[in-house]
Amino acid sequence: MDPNDTDSRSFNRVSVVGLGYIGLPTAAFIASKGIAVVGIDVNQGVVESVNAGQIPFFEPGFDELLSRVVKEGTLTAQTEQVDADAYIVCVPTPFRGDHSFDTKYIRAACGALAPHLRAGTLVVLESTSAPGTTEDMAKHLVELRPDLSLNDEDDNAIFVAHCPERVLPGKIMEEMENNDRLIGGLTPKGAELARQLYSTFCTADLLVTDAITAEMAKLTENSFRDVNIAFANELTVICDRLGIDVWELIELANHHPRVNILQPGPGVGGHCIAVDPWFIVSAAPDEARLIKTARDVNDGKPEWVMKQVLRALEGKEKPVVSALGITFKNDIDDLRESPSLEIVKRLSVENPHLDIRVVEPNVKKLPPVLSNLSNIKKQETMEAIAAADVVLLLVNHKEFITLEHSVLQGKKVIDTKGIWS
Ligand SMILES: NC(=O)c1ccc[n+]([C@@H]2O[C@H](COP(=O)([O-])OP(=O)(O)OC[C@H]3O[C@@H](n4cnc5c(N)ncnc54)[C@H](O)[C@@H]3O)[C@@H](O)[C@H]2O)c1
């Protein structure tokens, strides 16, 4: 087949680079359509776990799909890159200390896949990226492989696209196939090939655009959420100052037919909403004023929650705080950028006299950043509540929502998610 014939392209082998929360489900979904997928990860432990058919993280319902495609042999994992018709790059995209976009994982992934490129290969950047990253990545690939071209019309062309991911951890099985997707081609042929690849497993609309618009659209979605959450978080602080119940206030305001205020919380966490707005701020610092302020408001919320806890404990000689939940959102095990984890850690470090009990049904043991602190221990819900002077609800896990309210009687309760209000 002519490598430049994008009209009827089939993908015999796809390489998915980075087998984390996003890459591994993507690899498994493509493999479930009968396409040979090789998952590449630098972490040998992840590779072994995948080849044993076991998910290295928690995602409801995904274990069955993974073990099936591994057993059938359509998905294999390894550390060394392979020849493939298409590469999907799903490596981490963190920010640096100054909040600028860090491309080190993307560049490392490019370095490993560049020797395997040939005319007609498709490279998709799926990692959430700052505006212009896909183009920079493509230029880097042809720097590494000057025998290849980025011009659609050349015989030695490779094709590049950005297809950002929108799934919600915890709902990946449903959303991976059913969410509409953005297909941002660096060139028209890049867009068309990427559309064909994603149509193998995605049944929703595939919305074709250019790469930089797709990059910015993904960042915009998460910044929209961040700004709206910041509004709710700021209301919490204002209402506390004015002696108003914020939960009742939001409930009442949301009866307006065109108002839909989100629920406040202890801050904003995770790998996306707490991170992605910074890529816009860093790309346009003078213009992104509201987006920057929203980040500051949300990043300031853990400090405000800590002050509430210390205020509630005033006068106690041996104060016990029981913190319910440390993940960044409900019913998952993901601790990345978690404001709840930060609150617990800072309460412990800055107040060594506190006795802190942590309840977290979704993790087997506390992460070292907490377990290394001598005034913190993990406990079961009832035991922790019984011992508490202050019950600090940080995450709305289902186990806490269904708790009998009577067990909280006589306790000071700080409910940052409003589940018991
Ligand atoms: N987790 C989410 O909910 C979510 C949602 C949408 C988009 N994203 C984006 O998807 C991207 C990946 O996120 P994730 O949550 O899957 O990350 P993750 O940390 O769960 O997984 C990344 C994996 O990449 C591997 N890796 C790192 N460098 C590598 C390299 N050079 N070659 C091969 N493997 C390498 C790591 O070992 C790890 O297993 C990020 O850009 C993130 O912003 C994440």
Side-chain angles (χ1 to χ4, degrees), residues 17-23 40-43 46 90-93 105 108-109 126-128 165-169 218 271-272 276 334 336:
V17 188
L19 299 175
Y21 287 86
I22 295 303
I40 307 293
D41 203 290
V42 288
N43 183 330
V46 168
C90 300
V91 295
T93 43
Y105 296 102
E126 200 171 296
S127 302
T128 307
E165 182 53 76
R166 294 167 155 165
V167 289
L168 189 66
K218 166 70 190 177
H271 200 273
C272 293
D276 301 351
D334 195 339
R336 290 177 296 176

Side-chain angles (χ1 to χ4, degrees), residues 164 166 182 209 212-222:
R166 294 167 155 165
L182 306 177
T209 181
I212 194 166
T213 307
E215 288 161 347
M216 189 63 185
K218 166 70 190 177
L219 302 177
T220 299
E221 291 159 14
N222 283 336

Side-chain angles (χ1 to χ4, degrees), residues 127-407:
S127 302
T128 307
S129 293
T133 307
T134 308
E135 188 174 356
D136 290 347
M137 180 189 83
K139 286 179 179 159
H140 184 53
L141 287 174
V142 291
E143 265 164 33
L144 296 169
R145 287 290 305 276
D147 56 315
L148 296 172
S149 154
L150 295 175
N151 182 348
D152 271 0
E153 304 315 317
D154 291 344
D155 288 344
N156 59 345
I158 57 164
F159 304 107
V160 176
H162 178 57
C163 302
E165 182 53 76
R166 294 167 155 165
V167 289
L168 189 66
K171 285 196 162 182
I172 287 184
M173 290 307 290
E174 187 189 320
E175 295 198 355
M176 182 66 71
E177 274 179 323
N178 298 325
N179 283 359
D180 292 345
R181 285 200 83 119
L182 306 177
I183 307 289
L186 192 63
T187 59
K189 281 190 183 171
E192 174 51 22
L193 270 184
R195 193 196 61 73
Q196 288 177 22
L197 176 59
Y198 282 81
S199 69
T200 59
F201 70 97
C202 178
T203 55
D205 288 345
L206 300 172
L207 307 162
V208 175
T209 181
D210 56 50
I212 194 166
T213 307
E215 288 161 347
M216 189 63 185
K218 166 70 190 177
L219 302 177
T220 299
E221 291 159 14
N222 283 336
S223 299
F224 176 84
R225 305 265 309 150
D226 199 44
V227 168
N228 281 280
I229 297 168
F231 181 75
N233 277 337
E234 189 164 281
L235 283 178
T236 318
V237 179
I238 294 169
C239 285
D240 182 62
R241 167 66 60 88
L242 301 179
I244 295 167
D245 179 341
V246 72
W247 309 105
E248 186 189 1
L249 173 95
I250 292 175
E251 222 274 308
L252 293 174
N254 279 345
H255 276 268
H256 185 291
R258 285 167 295 283
V259 171
N260 184 15
I261 302 168
L262 300 183
Q263 295 298 298
V268 170
H271 200 273
C272 293
I273 300 181
V275 175
D276 301 351
W278 286 120
F279 301 160
I280 299 181
V281 174
S282 151
D286 294 335
E287 292 77 13
R289 290 182 301 156
L290 178 63
I291 295 171
K292 162 83 167 56
T293 303
R295 275 288 67 240
D296 291 340
V297 168
N298 287 332
D299 277 354
K301 194 74 190 294
E303 171 93 26
W304 182 84
V305 172
M306 283 170 55
K307 284 187 182 147
Q308 299 280 309
V309 173
L310 296 176
R311 197 164 78 185
L313 287 172
E314 264 166 22
K316 290 273 172 203
E317 260 184 36
K318 290 184 177 167
V320 179
V321 180
S322 292
L324 273 52
I326 52 167
T327 57
F328 87 80
K329 69 182 275 290
N330 56 309
D331 306 320
I332 58 167
D333 66 349
D334 195 339
L335 301 172
R336 290 177 296 176
E337 312 291 326
S338 168
S340 308
L341 181 77
E342 183 194 337
I343 289 167
V344 172
K345 188 184 98 187
R346 284 190 54 196
L347 274 173
S348 160
V349 171
E350 294 170 27
N351 307 278
H353 67 292
L354 293 184
D355 174 351
I356 301 177
R357 321 287 170 96
V358 173
V359 182
E360 181 42 79
N362 299 302
V363 299
K364 285 202 184 76
K365 49 184 188 174
L366 294 180
V369 66
L370 297 187
S371 61
N372 290 340
L373 297 166
S374 59
N375 58 344
I376 293 188
K377 66 176 160 204
K378 188 171 187 290
Q379 273 190 332
E380 295 304 317
T381 313
M382 290 312 181
E383 206 183 341
I385 290 177
D389 293 305
V390 165
V391 177
L392 173 61
L393 186 284
L394 291 169
V395 187
N396 50 337
H397 289 317
K398 59 181 184 308
E399 291 85 350
F400 305 148
I401 292 174
T402 53
L403 206 65
E404 275 293 330
H405 285 201
S406 56
V407 301

Side-chain angles (χ1 to χ4, degrees), residues 1-53:
M1 193 176 70
D2 175 0
N4 278 338
D5 174 11
T6 50
D7 293 340
S8 58
R9 187 65 183 270
S10 62
F11 298 95
N12 295 318
R13 180 146 82 165
V14 174
S15 163
V16 177
V17 188
L19 299 175
Y21 287 86
I22 295 303
L24 184 55
T26 303
F29 270 88
I30 297 174
S32 75
K33 304 301 172 195
I35 296 170
V37 178
V38 182
I40 307 293
D41 203 290
V42 288
N43 183 330
Q44 181 66 32
V46 168
V47 166
E48 281 167 17
S49 170
V50 172
N51 284 330

